Amino acid sequence: MALNIPEIYGSLVFNDKIMRSKLPKDMYKALKKTIENGTHLELDVANSVAVAMKEWAIENGATHYTHWFQPMTNFTAEKHDSFISPTGDGQVIMDFSGKELVKGEPDASSFPSGGLRATFEARGYTAWDPTSPAFIKDRTLYIPTAFCSYSGEALDKKTPLLRSMDTLNRQAVKVLHLLGNKEIRHVTTTVGPEQEYFLVDKDLYKKRKDLIFCGRTLIGAPAPKGQEMEDHYFGTLKPRVSAYMHDLDEELWKLGIPAKTKHNEVAPAQHELAPVFDTTNVAVDHNQLTMEIMKKVADKHNMVCLLNEKPFEGINGSGKHNNWSMITDTGVNLLDPGKTPAENTQFLVFLVAVIKAVDDYADLLRISVASAGNDHRLGANEAPPAIVSVFLGDELTEVLKAIESDQYFNSHDAVQMDIGAKVLPHFMKDNTDRNRTSPFAFTGNKFEFRMLGSSSSVANPNIILNTAVAEVLRQFAEELKDVPAEQMEKAVHNLLKETISAHKRVIFNGNGYTDEWVQEAEKRGLYNLVSTPDALPHMIAEKNEKLLTEHKIFTKAELYSRYEIKLENYVKTLHIESCTMAEMIRKELLPAVSACMEQTARTASLKKSVVPDISVSSETALLKKLTALEDAMTEKLDKLNEDTKDAESMTDPLEKAKTYQKTVLADMESLRESADAAEVLLPDSMLPYPAYGELLFSI
Ligand code: ADP
Ligand code: MG
């Protein structure tokens, strides 16, 4: 049966078309004004919208509604209320008021708050984000909301994200007006997150505690085949995967998520999905939903979708690419080199602003993607290094060099420059030089931030990116605000020149995977914050606190609470991994090794009992190897347990995280070596858990 995509697309979304048809004209207009300009929503409008939403939701099978929010975990949260309202005569009516639409009060005492919200006033409230559309899932009307404490502190990821979009809007509009582009009223940021994931068979998954508890394997010898043949990337989809992807697309489309591209990734069993980009807060909501639906649809297909950054050792991990740009209310992409000299100037101002922002706040960008899982990727030769640098490509780098040296860009004869006097080359959208090793690459009309881990919300990096760029634009506006019109061109040129000269160190077009780059970056004074505990202290550095508080993204208390939550998450993740590994070794692998030794010893003595002078050298050799590995594992297991206990007893959160990273993680690596060596010696029939080969190649 043919699928009518235009018909199903957005069929579960309370979108503009539905709003227009369901709402009285004046109410529709008032709501649109709120959505487009962020104006206050009057109660009568809220009531009218609530009635329309309820009717539409009930028509589409919904019985409940929920305020859907994004606490400071990587997950979303929801509390369901039914629409029923008893009428006193044993009957009910289906009711939903404007007040219930606009504000909710989940009992939120168990969400991480980093000490922000004393438990005696555990109630936070959720507030509708009318710029992200409501939708129906599992017969429930989902209302996207922000989550705050009663004293107004943000307890979620959406509130600071909306604040960051707002500050970028204000600063960008200011700069555009100064550049003479006075009709612009609004600038929004856009995001298209490409999402990587693994699919494994559910029955195999259930046999591995590490996958169940940690989402990644903690032990496991490599399969005879990995990704070395490079035969998986963009390869033909296997029928089971293809069926999954079709189902997934359909579910996403119904929710108005524009899933566009899907393909196999580099590692076996690894895949990618990319949607068409959208306004940042909508893209963030959609990415959260996408991750959830990916898991749900996998379950239906008797598979499990792994979003962990490093599910398997020795093959690529999973990330997320955050494609980002800025667009005006007149539809101009500010990172698209224009066709006229004036557009060029504007493009260069915004381009250079992003470069400076990345250089000034590289540490915050690194932190925005920091997690225990992502630490296994960044800097391994498969993902961008932990050093944040910007890829521009040769052509654009030349343009900036020309500006810096007062030369007009012209590939053949450089002449005295007067920026704006000549049209820049229109950089090809299909920039052929796609440097995959760069963490922050210009790709023709947008930047692609590639350090994100696959499991994290994309909110954090966008909060930082928006705010850092807003701050640079604020500085630019400050510099240009008193310049008379006839001197503007010169002033802009000087501003660009100075900025390029001060921040060109962050531009790097070479191979980011090499050791030479690590050394070169150090010489240039760039950060190389290798692990999460290395990076996190920078979060509360003075310049970063200043940025985030002055732009009203976080109060100081909010910032510190987030810092503590990040440290806590790191420690908790490593603690769970340590305990899981210890359990697998003690309860599964060591008994399997024992059983194998017993069988081997029995074989040897049986052989001898039949033929007394027979050789048992292979049994003896195996027994010796297994005994040595058994001893090593026992010893290393004791050390892991001891060190974990010591780390756990520490009270200073940063010291604790550092100890986990230095000792516990190292213990786990060392234990894994012995475990994987033992695994190789066991016959398949005695393996206590499915091996890599089975996990990666059975679908
Ligand atoms: P890749 O080669 O890395 O897969 P694509 O050209 O396929 O890159 O685009 C990747 C993502 O970039 C898509 O999600 C796309 O919608 C998004 N994208 C394109 N233009 C913009 C933009 N102006 N702002 C944000 N994201 C964008
Ligand atoms: Mg990409």
Side-chain angles (χ1 to χ4, degrees):
M1 199 180 59
L3 189 63
N4 187 340
I5 298 169
E7 196 170 297
I8 65 159
Y9 189 83
S11 58
L12 297 177
V13 181
F14 191 70
N15 55 22
D16 191 64
K17 189 173 138 213
I18 309 278
M19 281 192 257
R20 200 195 310 249
S21 70
K22 291 257 177 211
L23 286 170
K25 221 175 189 150
D26 53 330
M27 295 296 161
Y28 171 75
K29 273 198 184 144
L31 178 62
K32 281 297 270 188
K33 217 172 118 198
T34 297
I35 292 173
E36 275 158 22
N37 307 330
T39 48
H40 182 72
L41 189 76
E42 299 298 335
L43 189 61
D44 59 331
V45 183
N47 278 328
S48 176
V49 178
V51 170
M53 246 190 216
K54 178 198 69 179
E55 272 179 26
W56 169 79
I58 291 171
E59 275 166 28
N60 284 282
T63 53
H64 288 68
Y65 70 92
T66 180
H67 274 207
W68 183 64
F69 58 102
Q70 299 166 23
M72 291 184 272
T73 61
N74 279 327
F75 307 105
T76 56
E78 50 198 67
K79 173 192 157 215
H80 296 206
D81 283 297
S82 73
F83 288 120
I84 65 163
S85 172
T87 51
D89 54 359
Q91 313 277 310
V92 294
I93 53 164
M94 299 298 263
D95 198 22
F96 185 49
S97 69
K99 244 174 71 190
E100 286 166 310
L101 165 64
V102 172
K103 194 167 173 180
E105 297 185 23
D107 173 11
S109 48
S110 296
F111 291 111
S113 75
L116 268 187
R117 190 171 16 84
T119 24
F120 61 83
E121 61 117 338
R123 286 188 327 174
Y125 70 89
T126 49
W128 182 32
D129 166 15
T131 59
S132 181
F135 56 91
I136 294 172
K137 190 166 69 73
D138 305 329
R139 300 180 64 196
T140 300
L141 170 68
Y142 277 72
I143 301 159
T145 60
F147 178 41
C148 298
S149 77
Y150 264 89
S151 40
E153 281 140 338
L155 296 173
D156 70 343
K157 300 196 162 168
K158 189 188 269 277
T159 308
L161 183 71
L162 293 172
R163 291 173 183 167
S164 74
M165 290 169 71
D166 190 48
T167 188
L168 183 121
N169 166 40
R170 274 181 287 117
Q171 303 305 335
V173 168
K174 217 161 46 180
V175 168
L176 286 166
H177 287 185
L178 286 166
L179 294 175
N181 208 341
K182 296 228 159 60
E183 80 278 18
I184 306 293
R185 297 175 55 200
H186 202 90
V187 171
T188 41
T189 52
T190 50
V191 165
E194 301 163 62
Q195 173 79 48
E196 291 180 335
Y197 60 97
F198 277 87
L199 288 175
V200 297
D201 185 88
K202 201 196 319 183
D203 297 327
L204 298 176
Y205 168 92
K206 282 187 185 157
K207 292 182 188 150
R208 292 207 54 132
K209 286 183 183 156
D210 46 7
L211 287 180
I212 292 172
F213 296 128
C214 311
R216 72 183 194 98
T217 57
L218 302 170
I219 42 181
K225 180 183 175 194
Q227 63 190 42
E228 60 280 74
M229 300 296 282
E230 297 175 333
D231 51 357
H232 193 253
Y233 191 51
F234 281 73
T236 318
L237 301 177
K238 299 209 181 101
R240 213 170 148 193
V241 173
S242 175
Y244 166 79
M245 286 181 173
H246 278 294
D247 249 15
L248 175 61
D249 277 345
E250 200 175 322
E251 290 308 313
L252 295 175
W253 289 337
K254 283 187 207 161
L255 291 167
I257 299 173
K260 175 96 175 152
T261 320
K262 53 185 182 187
H263 60 79
N264 284 350
E265 262 300 331
V266 175
Q270 192 186 29
H271 314 281
E272 182 186 289
L273 179 143
V276 176
F277 69 95
D278 214 325
T279 312
T280 301
N281 63 321
V282 175
V284 170
D285 287 358
H286 280 173
N287 183 251
Q288 288 291 155
L289 268 176
T290 300
M291 291 193 283
E292 185 190 321
I293 307 283
M294 276 177 162
K295 294 193 165 185
K296 245 189 207 153
V297 174
D299 192 60
K300 271 205 290 198
H301 288 250
N302 204 41
M303 296 190 286
V304 176
C305 171
L306 302 176
L307 292 176
N308 190 287
E309 283 76 14
K310 193 69 184 178
F312 303 99
E313 188 77 26
I315 58 171
N316 282 2
S318 298
K320 196 137 50 182
H321 290 176
N322 190 78
N323 294 274
W324 178 94
S325 192
M326 297 164 277
I327 191 165
T328 67
D329 57 337
T330 55
V332 176
N333 177 353
L334 293 171
L335 291 177
D336 202 347
K339 292 191 180 65
T340 66
E343 285 173 346
N344 280 173
T345 307
Q346 191 173 289
F347 161 72
L348 286 170
V349 168
F350 283 89
L351 179 85
V352 168
V354 177
I355 294 169
K356 173 169 160 58
V358 173
D359 190 27
D360 283 344
Y361 299 103
D363 50 350
L364 274 181
L365 285 168
R366 166 68 183 93
I367 289 161
S368 76
V369 300
S371 69
N374 215 15
D375 279 1
H376 298 293
R377 275 181 74 240
L378 297 180
N381 282 357
E382 56 171 87
I387 306 159
V388 182
S389 66
V390 176
F391 169 85
L392 284 185
D394 294 338
E395 205 174 16
L396 208 42
T397 306
E398 284 307 313
V399 172
L400 297 196
K401 265 192 199 148
I403 296 173
E404 196 194 352
S405 59
D406 283 333
Q407 302 286 302
Y408 185 64
F409 173 69
N410 182 321
S411 39
H412 302 296
D413 54 336
V415 294
Q416 199 60 23
M417 123 148 215
D418 167 22
I419 126 157
K422 204 169 154 193
V423 185
L424 286 172
H426 198 86
F427 311 103
M428 288 165 296
K429 284 212 173 79
D430 291 306
N431 197 338
T432 42
D433 187 8
R434 288 237 169 147
N435 185 334
R436 293 282 162 186
T437 66
S438 173
F440 202 96
F442 183 72
T443 51
N445 60 355
K446 61 188 188 292
F447 275 102
E448 185 168 342
F449 186 24
R450 302 199 180 112
M451 289 171 96
L452 287 72
S454 48
S455 70
S456 309
S457 157
V458 283
N460 281 343
N462 285 296
I463 293 168
I464 300 304
L465 195 49
N466 293 343
T467 311
V469 174
E471 168 56 20
V472 175
L473 293 172
R474 186 196 65 76
Q475 294 171 21
F476 281 9
E478 215 33 50
E479 191 108 340
L480 299 175
K481 71 175 198 278
D482 298 321
V483 175
E486 69 278 7
Q487 286 167 32
M488 189 52 90
E489 210 172 275
K490 181 91 188 113
V492 170
H493 172 67
N494 285 340
L495 176 65
L496 290 177
K497 189 178 153 170
E498 280 163 24
T499 313
I500 293 164
S501 165
H503 298 286
K504 64 182 175 194
R505 64 172 190 166
V506 79
I507 299 168
F508 177 63
N509 294 328
N511 183 352
Y513 291 174
T514 62
D515 292 336
E516 291 80 61
W517 169 233
V518 176
Q519 287 157 21
E520 165 70 15
E522 194 181 340
K523 262 192 242 149
R524 294 191 190 184
L526 303 181
Y527 293 103
N528 184 7
L529 305 169
V530 177
S531 75
T532 299
D534 291 334
L536 281 178
H538 293 265
M539 187 168 172
I540 49 174
E542 203 182 322
K543 77 170 171 83
N544 295 333
E545 184 187 319
K546 190 160 177 283
L547 172 80
L548 293 164
T549 54
E550 280 182 358
H551 285 267
K552 302 200 163 19
I553 309 302
F554 298 123
T555 60
K556 190 173 171 180
E558 284 172 350
L559 181 65
Y560 277 71
S561 77
R562 270 156 220 259
Y563 165 68
E564 289 203 355
I565 289 171
K566 277 229 176 206
L567 282 173
E568 255 172 40
N569 278 344
Y570 180 84
V571 163
K572 281 180 191 164
T573 304
L574 262 69
H575 185 242
I576 293 170
E577 289 188 352
S578 162
C579 295
T580 304
M581 185 174 196
E583 191 167 311
M584 283 177 82
I585 301 285
R586 196 177 55 236
K587 295 198 179 167
E588 296 177 2
L589 191 56
L590 282 173
V593 169
S594 266
C596 182
M597 289 193 295
E598 190 186 321
Q599 197 186 66
T600 312
R602 210 179 303 131
T603 306
S605 76
L606 275 174
K607 273 166 86 176
K608 282 241 180 242
S609 71
V610 180
V611 188
D613 59 348
I614 201 171
S615 156
V616 289
S617 62
S618 56
E619 285 81 6
T620 311
L622 180 58
L623 274 173
K624 279 185 178 162
K625 279 187 204 158
L626 285 173
T627 304
L629 288 166
E630 184 188 35
D631 290 349
M633 278 194 277
T634 307
E635 197 177 301
K636 289 173 177 183
L637 183 60
D638 284 346
K639 179 161 162 46
L640 175 66
N641 286 336
E642 278 303 305
D643 286 344
T644 305
K645 223 198 278 159
D646 286 350
E648 228 9 55
S649 69
M650 301 182 76
T651 47
D652 180 81
L654 180 61
E655 286 311 310
K656 191 168 176 175
K658 282 188 172 162
T659 306
Y660 263 101
Q661 195 250 330
K662 282 212 187 77
T663 62
V664 177
L665 207 53
D667 289 348
M668 286 172 64
E669 268 163 33
S670 163
L671 177 53
R672 179 181 186 142
E673 251 174 58
S674 307
D676 292 356
E679 184 187 308
V680 176
L681 299 177
L682 297 182
D684 277 353
S685 62
M686 296 189 106
L687 265 188
Y689 39 74
Y692 268 30
E694 227 183 331
L695 285 168
L696 291 169
F697 291 95
S698 64
I699 285 179

